[in-house]
Structure formats: C-alpha cells, structure tokens
Amino acid sequence: MEYALITGASRGLGKAIAERLAKEGYAVIVNYNNSEKAARETVENIEAAGGKAELMKLDVKEGSQVDAAIEAWEAAHPEDYIAVLVNNAGVREDSLLVFMQDEQWDKVMETTLGGFFYLTRRVVKNMMTHRNGRIVNISSVSGLTGMQGQCNYAAAKAGLIGASKALALEVAPRKVTVNVVAPGFIATDMTSELDQDMIKKTVPLGRIGKPEEVAALVAFLASKEAAYITGQVISINGGVC
Ligand code: NAP
C-alpha cells in the first residue's frame, strides 16, 4: 500500500493536507511533536470520513528520532512504502536580526532544513527503489521576497527551495518529483496573532487563505497527474507577489 507522510499534521496546514490526501485514497501517517490530542483528532477525522491514518510522533529536528521512527514503521509495514512525503512542519521565531538570539536562529533552521534533510534522506530511498514518489516541501512567500523580522525564517524557507531544486535533479531519473509550495498568509495558529485588517489590505484578493486551499494544491502535486512537474515553486498567496 502507498502511504503519505505529512510532518506537522497535528494542526494548521499539515492537518488539512493529511485530511485531503486521505480523501485522495492514501493511507496517511500523521506526524506530530507536542500536540498529541490535536494529532489524534486529525486521525479521527480521517477515519470518520472512511480513510486510513496512523500517528507518528517525532521531532523533525532530531535525526536520531527520525531514523528510529522510520525504521520502526518500515519494520511494521514490510509490504508498504511511503510514496508521498510532505515536509510541512515549521516554526516562526521572529525578531529583528540585531536582537535575534542563537536559539531563535537555530530552532527555525533546524526545524525547516534539518527536518527536510533527516526525513527526506530516509524516505526517498524507497521511493527511488519503487521508481515512484512525490515530495512536496512547504516554503513561504517569506523565502521568496524576505520579510522584516524574519531573517531566520526567510533564510530557512529560501534554503528549502534550493535544496528542493537540487534534489529534484538527483531523483528525476527514478521518477520521483520534488516541488515546493510557497503560501502567503493562511489562517492557522501561526498567523492568528497577525493584524487581520493588515492582511486584508496587503492581499490583492482581499482575504486570508484557507488551509484547505493549500491542501488542494499539495494534493495535485502529489497526484499521478502531476508526473511532469518537478523542481518547481508554486505560490499560493492571493496575489501578494
Ligand atoms: P502551525 O499552525 O503553527 O502548525 C505547525 C505544525 O508544525 C504543528 O503541527 C506542529 O506540531 C508542527 N511542528 C513544529 N515543529 C515541529 C517539530 N520539531 N517536529 C514535528 N512537528 C513540528 O503552522 P502552519 O501555519 O500550519 O504552518 C505549516 C507550514 O506552513 C510551516 O512550515 C509554515 O512555515 C508554512 N507556512 C505557513 C503560512 C501561514 O500563513 N500559516 C504561510 C507560509 C508558510 P506540534 O504542535 O505537534 O508540535
């Protein structure tokens, strides 16, 4: 059976992506780190809609946790493989660069770039063996244009784009695609403290985006129909840039 693993699927975009990929027929692995209750709700929603889902707790920043969890999953699923990987887990630690602390820089880098590296390195191997795979990495408009107070976040999200383009070239001969989705402002916990009027004024389409809208784009990139799209960055931002 083909599984889809979504990192950070307890809340926000990851939750919406997991629920959408389950509707597309994938058995879904719901990764979480701290929010166990919310992750269980994602699984329950999927099962209530007739889908198949299981939990995977790991901190994407910790390579040893990633290796142990994937190894255990593979041992428990000898007939299955992860055909879709969505590297979605991410954090913001905003600060002007002059005031930014080492921990703020490291946490954002390690979550976005460390997480991408540790998980993808493990999972892409089996995709290559099966000559089939879809990797979708969640970047941000901040990684394309920069944003005040986000030197750490913008660097991590821009780095994710570079890494995705390099990996796309490496794995294309094995029919594995690697693409990036770059959302603008989307209504999740991450944006709940932002000035909603500011968002409406900044966005040409005049509203914040919905997690389900990002999930629909990810589902397309994960589909068989997207087989000829790789190494691309697709923005979903209401026309911001
Ligand atoms: P969110 O509501 O804050 O949710 C973040 C998710 O990431 C949670 O499920 C959290 O899991 C998980 N996570 C964080 N650190 C983790 C770690 N070390 N290991 C495993 N999971 C971890 O954020 P969101 O808005 O859904 O954002 C999802 C992605 O979209 C992020 O990469 C973000 O940068 C990107 N993005 C969001 C927006 C937006 O406007 N919302 C715009 C552009 C890009 P736990 O709670 O279980 O720890």
Side-chain angles (χ1 to χ4, degrees), residues 134-168:
R134 297 275 185 272
I135 298 171
V136 182
N137 296 322
I138 308 298
S139 178
S140 167
V141 65
S142 187
L144 293 169
T145 66
M147 225 171 253
Q148 256 187 345
Q150 292 197 330
C151 282
N152 50 358
Y153 186 81
K157 294 300 193 181
L160 188 60
I161 291 172
S164 303
K165 285 181 176 280
L167 182 64

mmCIF file of all heavy atoms in Angstrom, residues 134-168:
data_model
loop_
_atom_site.group_PDB
_atom_site.id
_atom_site.type_symbol
_atom_site.label_atom_id
_atom_site.label_comp_id
_atom_site.label_asym_id
_atom_site.label_seq_id
_atom_site.Cartn_x
_atom_site.Cartn_y
_atom_site.Cartn_z
ATOM 1 N N ARG A 134 6.556 11.273 -4.585
ATOM 2 C CA ARG A 134 6.217 12.701 -4.639
ATOM 3 C C ARG A 134 6.687 13.339 -3.343
ATOM 4 O O ARG A 134 6.259 12.911 -2.256
ATOM 5 C CB ARG A 134 4.699 12.897 -4.733
ATOM 6 C CG ARG A 134 4.072 12.335 -5.992
ATOM 7 C CD ARG A 134 4.181 13.359 -7.120
ATOM 8 N NE ARG A 134 3.491 12.886 -8.285
ATOM 9 C CZ ARG A 134 4.043 12.114 -9.226
ATOM 10 N NH1 ARG A 134 5.296 11.715 -9.123
ATOM 11 N NH2 ARG A 134 3.341 11.735 -10.270
ATOM 12 N N ILE A 135 7.519 14.348 -3.460
ATOM 13 C CA ILE A 135 7.943 15.100 -2.283
ATOM 14 C C ILE A 135 7.463 16.536 -2.473
ATOM 15 O O ILE A 135 7.702 17.147 -3.525
ATOM 16 C CB ILE A 135 9.480 15.046 -2.109
ATOM 17 C CG1 ILE A 135 9.925 13.593 -1.903
ATOM 18 C CG2 ILE A 135 9.928 15.930 -0.931
ATOM 19 C CD1 ILE A 135 11.422 13.371 -1.937
ATOM 20 N N VAL A 136 6.730 17.042 -1.489
ATOM 21 C CA VAL A 136 6.253 18.430 -1.537
ATOM 22 C C VAL A 136 6.761 19.127 -0.284
ATOM 23 O O VAL A 136 6.499 18.671 0.839
ATOM 24 C CB VAL A 136 4.715 18.511 -1.608
ATOM 25 C CG1 VAL A 136 4.274 19.973 -1.716
ATOM 26 C CG2 VAL A 136 4.170 17.714 -2.797
ATOM 27 N N ASN A 137 7.510 20.203 -0.475
ATOM 28 C CA ASN A 137 8.092 20.942 0.641
ATOM 29 C C ASN A 137 7.377 22.276 0.806
ATOM 30 O O ASN A 137 7.178 23.002 -0.172
ATOM 31 C CB ASN A 137 9.588 21.153 0.385
ATOM 32 C CG ASN A 137 10.333 19.833 0.341
ATOM 33 O OD1 ASN A 137 10.023 18.925 1.118
ATOM 34 N ND2 ASN A 137 11.268 19.708 -0.584
ATOM 35 N N ILE A 138 6.999 22.575 2.045
ATOM 36 C CA ILE A 138 6.233 23.803 2.290
ATOM 37 C C ILE A 138 7.196 24.925 2.672
ATOM 38 O O ILE A 138 7.763 24.952 3.768
ATOM 39 C CB ILE A 138 5.165 23.596 3.397
ATOM 40 C CG1 ILE A 138 4.286 22.370 3.089
ATOM 41 C CG2 ILE A 138 4.315 24.863 3.518
ATOM 42 C CD1 ILE A 138 3.467 22.439 1.805
ATOM 43 N N SER A 139 7.370 25.847 1.736
ATOM 44 C CA SER A 139 8.214 27.029 1.965
ATOM 45 C C SER A 139 7.303 28.179 2.374
ATOM 46 O O SER A 139 6.340 27.995 3.125
ATOM 47 C CB SER A 139 9.012 27.332 0.692
ATOM 48 O OG SER A 139 9.800 28.473 0.843
ATOM 49 N N SER A 140 7.573 29.372 1.854
ATOM 50 C CA SER A 140 6.765 30.541 2.233
ATOM 51 C C SER A 140 7.082 31.697 1.299
ATOM 52 O O SER A 140 8.184 31.784 0.753
ATOM 53 C CB SER A 140 7.113 30.965 3.660
ATOM 54 O OG SER A 140 6.584 32.232 3.937
ATOM 55 N N VAL A 141 6.119 32.609 1.180
ATOM 56 C CA VAL A 141 6.369 33.851 0.453
ATOM 57 C C VAL A 141 7.596 34.556 1.039
ATOM 58 O O VAL A 141 8.361 35.208 0.317
ATOM 59 C CB VAL A 141 5.109 34.760 0.504
ATOM 60 C CG1 VAL A 141 4.810 35.228 1.920
ATOM 61 C CG2 VAL A 141 5.225 35.955 -0.408
ATOM 62 N N SER A 142 7.827 34.361 2.341
ATOM 63 C CA SER A 142 8.969 34.989 3.012
ATOM 64 C C SER A 142 10.300 34.503 2.426
ATOM 65 O O SER A 142 11.273 35.247 2.387
ATOM 66 C CB SER A 142 8.897 34.686 4.509
ATOM 67 O OG SER A 142 9.875 35.387 5.204
ATOM 68 N N GLY A 143 10.339 33.261 1.976
ATOM 69 C CA GLY A 143 11.552 32.703 1.367
ATOM 70 C C GLY A 143 11.792 33.224 -0.030
ATOM 71 O O GLY A 143 12.884 33.076 -0.586
ATOM 72 N N LEU A 144 10.775 33.825 -0.621
ATOM 73 C CA LEU A 144 10.912 34.378 -1.979
ATOM 74 C C LEU A 144 11.207 35.875 -1.946
ATOM 75 O O LEU A 144 11.991 36.375 -2.753
ATOM 76 C CB LEU A 144 9.613 34.141 -2.778
ATOM 77 C CG LEU A 144 9.297 32.682 -3.104
ATOM 78 C CD1 LEU A 144 7.869 32.554 -3.640
ATOM 79 C CD2 LEU A 144 10.275 32.138 -4.126
ATOM 80 N N THR A 145 10.564 36.587 -1.038
ATOM 81 C CA THR A 145 10.687 38.057 -1.043
ATOM 82 C C THR A 145 11.402 38.599 0.191
ATOM 83 O O THR A 145 11.770 39.767 0.216
ATOM 84 C CB THR A 145 9.286 38.717 -1.061
ATOM 85 O OG1 THR A 145 8.625 38.424 0.174
ATOM 86 C CG2 THR A 145 8.446 38.219 -2.215
ATOM 87 N N GLY A 146 11.553 37.763 1.223
ATOM 88 C CA GLY A 146 12.039 38.262 2.511
ATOM 89 C C GLY A 146 10.912 38.980 3.245
ATOM 90 O O GLY A 146 9.911 39.366 2.625
ATOM 91 N N MET A 147 11.048 39.102 4.550
ATOM 92 C CA MET A 147 10.057 39.822 5.352
ATOM 93 C C MET A 147 10.767 40.329 6.595
ATOM 94 O O MET A 147 11.581 39.606 7.190
ATOM 95 C CB MET A 147 8.897 38.889 5.720
ATOM 96 C CG MET A 147 7.531 39.529 5.534
ATOM 97 S SD MET A 147 6.220 38.320 5.717
ATOM 98 C CE MET A 147 5.689 38.112 4.021
ATOM 99 N N GLN A 148 10.462 41.588 6.972
ATOM 100 C CA GLN A 148 11.090 42.177 8.159
ATOM 101 C C GLN A 148 10.906 41.292 9.378
ATOM 102 O O GLN A 148 9.800 40.810 9.619
ATOM 103 C CB GLN A 148 10.411 43.504 8.466
ATOM 104 C CG GLN A 148 11.220 44.691 8.081
ATOM 105 C CD GLN A 148 10.552 45.967 8.572
ATOM 106 O OE1 GLN A 148 9.372 45.964 8.946
ATOM 107 N NE2 GLN A 148 11.289 47.051 8.563
ATOM 108 N N GLY A 149 11.971 41.100 10.142
ATOM 109 C CA GLY A 149 11.861 40.307 11.371
ATOM 110 C C GLY A 149 11.954 38.814 11.117
ATOM 111 O O GLY A 149 11.771 38.024 12.041
ATOM 112 N N GLN A 150 12.232 38.441 9.869
ATOM 113 C CA GLN A 150 12.237 37.008 9.547
ATOM 114 C C GLN A 150 13.520 36.571 8.828
ATOM 115 O O GLN A 150 13.470 35.762 7.913
ATOM 116 C CB GLN A 150 11.024 36.662 8.684
ATOM 117 C CG GLN A 150 9.694 36.777 9.432
ATOM 118 C CD GLN A 150 8.560 36.061 8.730
ATOM 119 O OE1 GLN A 150 8.555 35.946 7.509
ATOM 120 N NE2 GLN A 150 7.600 35.574 9.495
ATOM 121 N N CYS A 151 14.675 37.125 9.219
ATOM 122 C CA CYS A 151 15.919 36.686 8.564
ATOM 123 C C CYS A 151 16.116 35.181 8.727
ATOM 124 O O CYS A 151 16.539 34.497 7.792
ATOM 125 C CB CYS A 151 17.129 37.435 9.138
ATOM 126 S SG CYS A 151 17.272 39.107 8.494
ATOM 127 N N ASN A 152 15.806 34.666 9.913
ATOM 128 C CA ASN A 152 15.955 33.225 10.147
ATOM 129 C C ASN A 152 14.961 32.429 9.284
ATOM 130 O O ASN A 152 15.328 31.503 8.567
ATOM 131 C CB ASN A 152 15.797 32.894 11.639
ATOM 132 C CG ASN A 152 14.553 33.497 12.274
ATOM 133 O OD1 ASN A 152 13.783 34.216 11.627
ATOM 134 N ND2 ASN A 152 14.343 33.212 13.555
ATOM 135 N N TYR A 153 13.692 32.823 9.355
ATOM 136 C CA TYR A 153 12.621 32.097 8.649
ATOM 137 C C TYR A 153 12.799 32.208 7.120
ATOM 138 O O TYR A 153 12.685 31.217 6.394
ATOM 139 C CB TYR A 153 11.296 32.695 9.108
ATOM 140 C CG TYR A 153 10.043 32.010 8.618
ATOM 141 C CD1 TYR A 153 9.560 30.866 9.239
ATOM 142 C CD2 TYR A 153 9.301 32.544 7.565
ATOM 143 C CE1 TYR A 153 8.380 30.261 8.816
ATOM 144 C CE2 TYR A 153 8.120 31.947 7.136
ATOM 145 C CZ TYR A 153 7.670 30.808 7.763
ATOM 146 O OH TYR A 153 6.500 30.221 7.337
ATOM 147 N N ALA A 154 13.115 33.421 6.649
ATOM 148 C CA ALA A 154 13.293 33.619 5.203
ATOM 149 C C ALA A 154 14.485 32.815 4.692
ATOM 150 O O ALA A 154 14.426 32.213 3.613
ATOM 151 C CB ALA A 154 13.475 35.102 4.890
ATOM 152 N N ALA A 155 15.574 32.782 5.485
ATOM 153 C CA ALA A 155 16.758 32.017 5.074
ATOM 154 C C ALA A 155 16.435 30.524 5.013
ATOM 155 O O ALA A 155 16.810 29.826 4.066
ATOM 156 C CB ALA A 155 17.904 32.264 6.059
ATOM 157 N N ALA A 156 15.711 30.046 6.026
ATOM 158 C CA ALA A 156 15.365 28.618 6.051
ATOM 159 C C ALA A 156 14.453 28.265 4.876
ATOM 160 O O ALA A 156 14.647 27.251 4.198
ATOM 161 C CB ALA A 156 14.689 28.270 7.379
ATOM 162 N N LYS A 157 13.456 29.115 4.625
ATOM 163 C CA LYS A 157 12.491 28.806 3.567
ATOM 164 C C LYS A 157 13.104 28.956 2.171
ATOM 165 O O LYS A 157 12.744 28.226 1.242
ATOM 166 C CB LYS A 157 11.254 29.689 3.713
ATOM 167 C CG LYS A 157 10.428 29.412 4.977
ATOM 168 C CD LYS A 157 9.918 27.983 5.038
ATOM 169 C CE LYS A 157 8.857 27.794 6.110
ATOM 170 N NZ LYS A 157 8.388 26.401 6.179
ATOM 171 N N ALA A 158 14.049 29.912 2.017
ATOM 172 C CA ALA A 158 14.769 30.035 0.743
ATOM 173 C C ALA A 158 15.714 28.849 0.573
ATOM 174 O O ALA A 158 15.862 28.304 -0.532
ATOM 175 C CB ALA A 158 15.544 31.349 0.709
ATOM 176 N N GLY A 159 16.343 28.433 1.679
ATOM 177 C CA GLY A 159 17.222 27.262 1.622
ATOM 178 C C GLY A 159 16.471 26.011 1.213
ATOM 179 O O GLY A 159 16.980 25.178 0.455
ATOM 180 N N LEU A 160 15.241 25.904 1.670
ATOM 181 C CA LEU A 160 14.412 24.744 1.333
ATOM 182 C C LEU A 160 14.144 24.705 -0.186
ATOM 183 O O LEU A 160 14.094 23.625 -0.789
ATOM 184 C CB LEU A 160 13.095 24.830 2.116
ATOM 185 C CG LEU A 160 12.154 23.646 2.064
ATOM 186 C CD1 LEU A 160 12.812 22.374 2.600
ATOM 187 C CD2 LEU A 160 10.878 23.945 2.872
ATOM 188 N N ILE A 161 14.000 25.880 -0.771
ATOM 189 C CA ILE A 161 13.789 25.941 -2.223
ATOM 190 C C ILE A 161 15.044 25.451 -2.956
ATOM 191 O O ILE A 161 14.968 24.621 -3.874
ATOM 192 C CB ILE A 161 13.414 27.381 -2.651
ATOM 193 C CG1 ILE A 161 12.020 27.734 -2.116
ATOM 194 C CG2 ILE A 161 13.471 27.533 -4.174
ATOM 195 C CD1 ILE A 161 11.612 29.195 -2.308
ATOM 196 N N GLY A 162 16.219 25.900 -2.523
ATOM 197 C CA GLY A 162 17.470 25.462 -3.159
ATOM 198 C C GLY A 162 17.653 23.960 -3.029
ATOM 199 O O GLY A 162 17.995 23.267 -4.004
ATOM 200 N N ALA A 163 17.406 23.452 -1.825
ATOM 201 C CA ALA A 163 17.573 22.011 -1.586
ATOM 202 C C ALA A 163 16.596 21.211 -2.454
ATOM 203 O O ALA A 163 16.945 20.168 -3.014
ATOM 204 C CB ALA A 163 17.342 21.705 -0.112
ATOM 205 N N SER A 164 15.379 21.718 -2.601
ATOM 206 C CA SER A 164 14.356 21.005 -3.389
ATOM 207 C C SER A 164 14.763 20.943 -4.859
ATOM 208 O O SER A 164 14.579 19.917 -5.525
ATOM 209 C CB SER A 164 13.005 21.720 -3.273
ATOM 210 O OG SER A 164 12.619 21.824 -1.928
ATOM 211 N N LYS A 165 15.303 22.043 -5.353
ATOM 212 C CA LYS A 165 15.706 22.073 -6.767
ATOM 213 C C LYS A 165 16.867 21.101 -7.017
ATOM 214 O O LYS A 165 16.902 20.407 -8.041
ATOM 215 C CB LYS A 165 16.079 23.501 -7.181
ATOM 216 C CG LYS A 165 14.847 24.385 -7.352
ATOM 217 C CD LYS A 165 15.191 25.790 -7.793
ATOM 218 C CE LYS A 165 13.930 26.591 -8.054
ATOM 219 N NZ LYS A 165 13.316 26.313 -9.353
ATOM 220 N N ALA A 166 17.816 21.052 -6.073
ATOM 221 C CA ALA A 166 18.947 20.130 -6.220
ATOM 222 C C ALA A 166 18.466 18.677 -6.162
ATOM 223 O O ALA A 166 18.840 17.843 -6.996
ATOM 224 C CB ALA A 166 19.981 20.400 -5.124
ATOM 225 N N LEU A 167 17.603 18.382 -5.183
ATOM 226 C CA LEU A 167 17.108 17.008 -5.038
ATOM 227 C C LEU A 167 16.268 16.595 -6.251
ATOM 228 O O LEU A 167 16.343 15.444 -6.702
ATOM 229 C CB LEU A 167 16.286 16.869 -3.747
ATOM 230 C CG LEU A 167 15.752 15.465 -3.480
ATOM 231 C CD1 LEU A 167 16.890 14.464 -3.253
ATOM 232 C CD2 LEU A 167 14.814 15.458 -2.263
ATOM 233 N N ALA A 168 15.500 17.547 -6.785
ATOM 234 C CA ALA A 168 14.671 17.229 -7.963
ATOM 235 C C ALA A 168 15.551 16.703 -9.094
ATOM 236 O O ALA A 168 15.184 15.737 -9.791
ATOM 237 C CB ALA A 168 13.881 18.459 -8.404
#
